[in-house]
Amino acid sequence: MIASVNVDMDTLNDYAYTYGKNYAKFPDPIYTIALPRLLKLLDKHKIKATFFVIGRDLNINEHYKAIKNIQKKGHEIANHTQSHLHNFERLSFKKQRDEIINCHQLVKKRLGLSMVGFRSPGYNLNKGTFKVLSSLNYLYDSSSFPTSLLPLLKLAIIVKSKGNHKSTGGGDIKNIFSKTSVYSIEGHNLLEIPITVTPILRLPFMGTFNVI
């Protein structure tokens, strides 16, 4: 069996923003509390994971040190854009390109590595996103969320935020019918590595649902 463990390094403020709220705290508890616990667990079970990092966090000293430690432990660092803009799929091609390239270049400058994987904020993207990734010679995208609960996820965010949500997240509603295994993205030299769901029922297999 082949398994993939991956982590979006969204801060608590990123989650709060989804609901139209603010939680600006530096350093963020995701980095100071959650990440050390997770790294300890991964070390215990000798698991290497992929961490999708947001470029802006490399400019926060405590967050940068934590990301550097992720790299030191041999985990993969992948691109989660520069600013984690929740309306990513509605950005112009140029703005999407800037968000992806700025993160790519900052990671290369500060960590000395060229990333090959990408995940969009809230799993929201469009066909133009693949053009940018192809131009950077990326190997894969991992933004497809093929869960049967996607409509309910979007509805839950709208209801819980009382209409103040900035994004429903989850990506294109059509992804509920997408493949759940790795596949090639048509027209691009890219693989799609879908976010994990359970067999048959396609239920989400991720920690984010604890905050919905």
Side-chain angles (χ1 to χ4, degrees), residues 39-51:
L39 290 176
K40 184 177 181 179
L41 181 64
L42 294 174
D43 285 345
K44 177 181 178 180
H45 295 284
K46 298 180 180 180
I47 294 172
K48 297 302 180 186
T50 297
F51 288 79

Side-chain angles (χ1 to χ4, degrees), residues 165-185:
H165 60 287
K166 300 298 181 179
S167 169
T168 57
D172 194 325
I173 199 75
K174 293 184 293 185
N175 284 340
I176 62 176
F177 304 111
S178 295
K179 295 180 180 179
T180 59
S181 57
V182 178
Y183 60 91
S184 296
I185 297 174

